[in-house]
Amino acid sequence: MSVTSSLNATQSSTSKNDNDNDNCTDGGEQPSRAPYVRTGSVFPISSSTLFDAALTSIVGLGIVFLGGVAYIAWYKKNVLDKIEKAFDGGYDPVLALADFEKETSSKRLIENDQSMEHLRRKEQDCVDNIIKGNTRGHYYFLIGPKGGGKSTLILEAMRAIQAEGVSVLDAHPDLEVFRLRLGKALNYEFHEDSQTLLFQRRDPKEALNKLEKVALRKAKKTGRPLVLVLNNVQHFNNNENGRNMLLLLQQKAEAWAASGMYHIARVMDDFWPCLLMHKAANRMHVLTIGDLSFETARHALGHMRLARNKPHADQSTIDQTVTLVGGRLSYLSHMAQMEDMLRGARDLVDWEREWLLSQIGLIPDCDDDVMDEQKWSTCSWLLLREFVRLHKERQRERQAAGLPWDPTELPSIPYGRCRQIMTRTDFIEELDRTNIISIGVKLDVRPDSMLILQAAREVVEEEGFDDLLQNSLHRTREIAFKDFNTGDKIRLQVEKGPSRS
């Protein structure tokens, strides 16, 4: 009985609650939710919903704006800090790569390197002053043939100061690759790591402008200018884009040299960049790095063999080797590793002769399609033959007078005289780019190396070379007719001599 009453009471209560819920659904309001329905905001500021929404948007945009301003300010400062770090001591990757072999070498090799300190070149003091920033108001060109030791001089100067205030950059024909290398050398990413400029491509001028600010900051701290070494400038294309890039770099170098807070040292093998920039140069100094003299080369070669623990070579073998390869450091270093130096030197001369013939070899019965190539070859051999003649003539004069003679001294001819010998003015720079000749800062032209001269001498002294060269000259001669009017006629008569049996 009591259980039945309890169930009835429970059903009655449930039915009452359902009726209350239906009444709320039909139009009744819950007092506890009324404020949220009226204002539409969890934290109402005013009685106007529109005003609260507008104020919330303005506050949000303000926070985003201030955050963006703070981010840009931090990012700009971080960019300058990263570029400044590129000139801190021990950072430069070029020096790290150059020192890798020394760090992993044995103690014996390190001691041998220390024993060769007396082989220090005379140009090293000047390069040290340039890299240390002791010379202000100028920017420098280091020019010389390939393998002459220009980069070695710079690395030695950088090693002495742990690359403090110095950064090295390699040129490249592709300006996009050059831009990336510039960013790597300066530790600058052209804003490509920024959220605001993610998809924009920056010009190298942007990096150079940032570098000016860093140079000013660094000069105030250290009291000396920063140094940027631009290596292999000749790799820029000799076209409009390449020349424009060189002009931009020269303008920056002139301005930085005038301020005394930054200067650039350019290293190159070919002469055309120097000739191009000489027109607008006011503060440019040129330092020529040539080959070693005969006495210095034979002295260096003997010590190089000792440093590499090679068998002792007699002085006659060393003299003959140096006479063949000259005083080029790269060739001397290669010869120092050979067991038989004299045989290795002759192999180098043979290889150089074959390479020279592959570039400018004369073809007795060439096809008309390669006539332009034969013009280039004949004009080149006219110049090389003159080099050989001058070298032999100087040797006879010195020996006849009883004076000492340097067999590695390369003959030189003034640039203007070379134009007359070759009869073509457009071939000289191409020979320089091919590393067949080398043009000095005084516009003196000489063979690129002693190997080139030895190879050319072997070819020129072959039997029948003069006749072959003369026939090639006659074959490539052009006849130009001028001052003709409409209707004029030309009568050409060819008379052949007796045929040769």
Side-chain angles (χ1 to χ4, degrees):
M1 190 73 171
S2 61
V3 173
T4 304
S5 300
S6 177
L7 292 173
N8 293 332
T10 301
Q11 293 176 357
S12 176
S13 176
T14 304
S15 177
K16 183 177 180 180
N17 290 337
D18 292 340
N19 292 332
D20 293 340
N21 292 335
D22 293 339
N23 292 333
C24 292
T25 304
D26 292 339
E29 295 181 355
Q30 295 181 0
S32 61
R33 298 183 180 178
Y36 303 102
V37 175
R38 289 195 305 268
T39 61
S41 175
V42 178
F43 301 102
I45 300 176
S46 66
S47 59
S48 174
T49 304
L50 182 60
F51 178 78
D52 289 349
L55 185 60
T56 302
S57 301
I58 293 174
V59 172
L61 291 175
I63 294 174
V64 173
F65 174 77
L66 293 177
V69 171
Y71 169 76
I72 293 176
W74 168 85
Y75 182 80
K76 289 182 177 180
K77 181 180 180 302
N78 184 57
V79 166
L80 298 181
D81 292 341
K82 289 169 63 177
I83 296 178
E84 186 174 353
K85 184 180 178 182
F87 293 90
D88 291 343
Y91 173 83
D92 196 273
V94 175
L95 184 60
L97 291 174
D99 290 339
F100 177 76
E101 183 179 358
K102 287 192 174 184
E103 293 175 358
T104 57
S105 61
S106 63
K107 182 178 179 181
R108 175 183 58 80
L109 288 178
I110 294 177
E111 291 176 352
N112 287 332
D113 287 339
Q114 293 175 352
S115 68
M116 295 176 63
E117 290 180 353
H118 59 282
L119 296 177
R120 178 183 177 92
R121 299 187 61 170
K122 60 182 181 180
E123 298 91 352
Q124 188 67 62
D125 292 335
C126 182
V127 176
D128 287 347
N129 290 329
I130 295 174
I131 298 301
K132 291 178 181 178
N134 295 335
T135 57
R136 297 193 179 191
H138 304 283
Y139 61 99
Y140 296 85
F141 263 95
L142 272 68
I143 185 173
K146 182 179 66 175
K150 301 182 295 298
S151 299
T152 303
L153 292 173
I154 291 177
L155 289 176
E156 289 297 328
M158 292 175 59
R159 189 176 291 114
I161 60 174
Q162 289 298 310
E164 176 69 28
V166 184
S167 185
V168 180
L169 166 65
D170 285 323
H172 194 274
D174 190 342
L175 296 184
E176 177 63 18
V177 176
F178 175 73
R179 183 186 73 87
L180 296 177
R181 288 183 177 180
L182 177 62
K184 180 181 179 182
L186 301 181
N187 199 20
Y188 178 61
E189 299 178 358
F190 292 94
H191 297 291
E192 293 174 0
D193 58 343
S194 172
Q195 300 297 326
T196 57
L197 301 172
L198 186 60
F199 298 104
Q200 293 190 18
R201 306 296 291 176
R202 290 285 176 158
D203 192 84
K205 294 192 293 290
E206 182 71 20
L208 298 178
N209 293 335
K210 296 290 184 183
L211 186 57
E212 289 182 358
K213 300 179 181 180
V214 174
L216 183 60
R217 289 171 50 177
K218 198 76 173 178
K220 292 180 180 179
K221 294 180 181 179
T222 61
R224 64 186 184 90
L226 299 180
V227 179
L228 178 64
V229 179
L230 185 56
N231 197 21
N232 295 322
V233 180
Q234 76 278 357
H235 286 171
F236 285 125
N237 289 324
N238 192 7
N239 55 20
E240 183 178 0
N241 292 332
R243 290 190 291 267
N244 288 340
M245 178 56 65
L246 281 176
L247 178 60
L248 171 63
L249 294 172
Q250 184 181 20
Q251 291 174 343
K252 290 293 183 181
E254 291 281 346
W256 292 342
S259 65
M261 65 180 183
Y262 203 96
H263 65 254
I264 296 179
R266 292 177 171 85
V267 184
M268 59 185 177
D269 301 339
D270 299 340
F271 187 70
W272 74 265
C274 183
L275 190 62
L276 175 67
M277 302 180 71
H278 183 74
K279 301 176 182 178
N282 294 322
R283 299 178 178 271
M284 183 178 72
H285 283 191
V286 181
L287 178 63
T288 303
I289 309 297
D291 294 340
L292 301 178
S293 64
F294 179 73
E295 293 296 329
T296 306
R298 61 202 288 260
H299 180 66
L301 181 57
H303 282 273
M304 286 180 181
R305 287 188 66 82
L306 291 177
R308 289 162 175 79
N309 200 24
K310 294 296 181 180
H312 176 72
D314 59 276
Q315 196 61 46
S316 176
T317 302
I318 292 178
D319 292 348
Q320 294 181 53
T321 302
V322 174
T323 301
L324 288 175
V325 302
R328 187 69 49 85
L329 280 178
S330 58
Y331 298 150
L332 294 177
S333 179
H334 181 66
M335 290 296 101
Q337 302 176 12
M338 305 290 293
E339 297 295 335
D340 188 349
M341 292 193 302
L342 195 55
R343 179 179 179 181
R346 289 170 178 165
D347 289 341
L348 276 182
V349 174
D350 292 340
W351 187 94
E352 199 77 10
R353 184 185 67 250
E354 295 304 320
W355 175 84
L356 190 62
L357 292 176
S358 70
Q359 298 295 313
I360 56 174
L362 297 175
I363 303 176
D365 296 321
C366 65
D367 191 79
D368 294 339
D369 295 338
V370 296
M371 193 65 67
D372 291 337
E373 180 183 345
Q374 285 303 291
K375 291 178 183 178
W376 143 265
S377 299
T378 52
C379 292
S380 301
W381 279 111
L382 286 173
L383 183 60
L384 291 177
R385 186 178 63 174
E386 184 67 15
F387 283 137
V388 173
R389 186 190 67 81
L390 291 176
H391 188 259
K392 294 192 296 185
E393 181 180 346
R394 180 171 178 80
Q395 179 181 1
R396 288 194 300 267
E397 291 176 354
R398 303 292 288 185
Q399 291 178 350
L403 299 175
W405 178 64
D406 185 352
T408 62
E409 182 181 357
L410 296 172
S412 63
I413 302 175
Y415 193 95
R417 174 60 181 159
C418 290
R419 291 161 56 96
Q420 298 174 2
I421 294 173
M422 297 182 66
T423 68
R424 290 289 296 265
T425 61
D426 53 336
F427 288 159
I428 299 180
E429 291 186 4
E430 184 62 29
L431 287 174
D432 185 27
R433 282 192 291 269
T434 318
N435 293 327
I436 295 178
I437 64 172
S438 177
I439 305 175
V441 65
K442 297 181 180 180
L443 291 178
D444 52 333
V445 182
R446 62 188 65 203
D448 184 76
S449 66
M450 194 66 196
L451 285 178
I452 287 288
L453 183 62
Q454 294 287 358
R457 181 170 182 172
E458 291 185 0
V459 175
V460 169
E461 291 179 348
E462 289 180 354
E463 184 179 357
F465 173 79
D466 290 335
D467 293 337
L468 176 60
L469 181 60
Q470 194 68 21
N471 291 334
S472 298
L473 285 172
H474 289 309
R475 185 181 178 90
T476 57
R477 295 294 186 186
E478 295 181 355
I479 301 176
F481 298 97
K482 300 180 179 179
D483 300 331
F484 276 87
N485 298 320
T486 304
D488 292 347
K489 297 181 180 179
I490 300 174
R491 178 176 294 178
L492 183 63
Q493 182 178 357
V494 179
E495 295 182 0
K496 295 185 178 182
S499 60
R500 297 180 181 180
S501 57

